[in-house]
Amino acid sequence: FFFQAEDGIRDAQESRGLGDVYKRQVAAALSISGLSLAFCANAYYFYLEKKWSPFGEVLRICVSASTFILDILIYLHYSMRLQMMKIEKIVKFDTKLIYSPLRYELLLELLINAIHSPPGLEIYVTISQQDADNTIPLDSILAVLMLFRLYVIYRMFGHYSHWSGGRAKRVSKFYGFIAGSAFAMKSHLKTHTMIVLCSTLFISILVFGAALQKLEENWVPKAKSLNFDTYWNALWCVVVTMCTIGYGDLFPETHLGKLAMIFCAMWGIFILSLVVVALQNLISLTSKESQAYEELNLILSGTKVTTDSKALVKVFLKWAIAKKKKKPVLTRFILFFEMLHFAQKFHLSRYQMLEVNKSLSEHVGEAQDKIGREMHVIQTRLGIVPQIKQTLTYVMLSEGTIQTKLKEVKERQHLLYSYVVSMNKQSNPQLSNIEEFTLRYDLNEKLILKDYLD
């Protein structure tokens, strides 16, 4: 699946874009590996109590090398896209990449993937706060910014999904759009809603947790409970923030950490709103299920009315017998209130059954109205048929008249040709065949223009 080409063909000789697919796979692997190495180098820095070591420098050298190769592959990928646009005649053949419509997308992607901490970088950024100054290594900030490289996960929807494969691209081109990552994401959201949303939520928690820990772990908190040295504390704070719960047991104290949590809260609200909509669609009934539900509800309501009426009659007979036999007042009093209770249940169940019947009658009325409207439209369209038939009859009759007039025009043209040519030959016996043809052509053009004006 990972090495599948965009048109669904695994054979290198038959695939149309297999080489570019391999470049994108290598670029995605380099992007994720560079991000992982950068976080490892930063974690090793804090593990050695904020001291850089040769091993950390080796990791940063690997990050720089992978970033350089990654930018080259991105440039080659956009060059190939430009060549495809030239073949499809979307742009001119002599268009350069820097002047093409892809230039802004290329520059943005190069900028995102060029962000990293090069070897030998030991710069610290100091941010003033109310209580104290926050000094954070620039390496930590760059590591957080490198999390934007995870956009490759979004790109994977466009490169490896069957919703953006060769067949999907042909169909989308027929309907006037391009089947890319956005179309693939929307399609997966419709077909596998909960899987996509739960995966997105899980990845978002991990990403925001990593960013929060990097931005807060250099800060010395006032209370030990606000310690973000462990990744689990950061994850807990992110979950509480995304769910908009806000226990208050863990919260960021630095400006950068608070900024990250603002974006985390907004993203959490967006994801959770989509989850609520997906759950609503999941539990909603289809049209056939709704019809079955209404019918079963009617049956159950009728059964309940029958049961309650039987119980009411039974209690009433008991009360009447007790009254006739002059049983103790307490017994008759209990039976009387029991009778009132069942009478209330009977009226309630009967009311519910009437409501169900009312809803069914409303559905039937709506269906009848809809059928009536459609029948009116059909009758209106059928009323045009006689007019169309009359118009066709008129056209068929006019066709014979037009043919007759065309014959008359041709006969007149032939007579005029003969007359004019004979007159010109009498006045000029040396008239050549070419001049005669030109004369006939001019005369024919004038006659046609005259007939058109008439």
Side-chain angles (χ1 to χ4, degrees), residues 361-377:
S361 62
E362 288 178 354
H363 288 312
V364 172
E366 291 177 359
Q368 290 177 349
D369 293 339
K370 186 176 180 181
I371 293 172
R373 289 193 298 269
E374 292 180 354
M375 289 296 295
H376 178 71
V377 172

Side-chain angles (χ1 to χ4, degrees), residues 340-352:
L340 291 178
H341 170 68
F342 280 106
Q344 186 179 5
K345 286 185 65 177
F346 170 74
H347 286 297
L348 181 61
S349 58
R350 184 172 175 272
Y351 174 77
Q352 291 176 352

Side-chain angles (χ1 to χ4, degrees), residues 66-168:
S66 65
T67 301
F68 179 73
I69 300 173
L70 176 62
D71 286 340
I72 293 176
L73 291 176
I74 291 172
Y75 181 81
L76 293 175
H77 166 64
Y78 278 91
S79 299
M80 186 171 292
R81 284 183 61 184
L82 180 62
Q83 293 299 325
M84 294 299 298
M85 292 175 69
K86 291 179 180 178
I87 293 172
E88 296 175 359
K89 297 181 180 180
I90 300 175
V91 297
K92 295 182 179 179
F93 189 76
D94 57 347
T95 303
K96 295 182 179 180
L97 186 58
I98 193 65
Y99 300 111
S100 68
L102 303 173
R103 61 184 182 274
Y104 297 114
E105 189 177 351
L106 170 63
L107 292 175
L108 179 62
E109 194 163 350
L110 288 175
L111 178 62
I112 291 175
N113 289 277
I115 296 174
H116 71 288
S117 179
L121 182 68
E122 298 183 6
I123 300 177
Y124 296 87
V125 179
T126 302
I127 300 175
S128 299
Q129 298 193 172
Q130 292 182 354
D131 301 331
D133 293 338
N134 178 26
T135 302
I136 181 173
L138 183 59
D139 181 80
S140 298
I141 299 176
L142 293 174
V144 172
L145 293 177
M146 285 181 70
L147 289 171
F148 285 104
R149 291 190 180 190
L150 293 175
Y151 75 92
V152 296
I153 299 175
Y154 171 75
R155 283 286 183 86
M156 288 174 67
F157 280 94
H159 295 162
Y160 307 115
S161 172
H162 64 276
W163 292 104
S164 58
R167 183 180 300 173

Side-chain angles (χ1 to χ4, degrees), residues 218-234:
N218 196 58
W219 173 258
V220 179
K222 297 179 181 178
K224 292 183 179 181
S225 60
L226 299 177
N227 189 3
F228 284 96
D229 289 341
T230 60
Y231 186 50
W232 300 111
N233 286 349

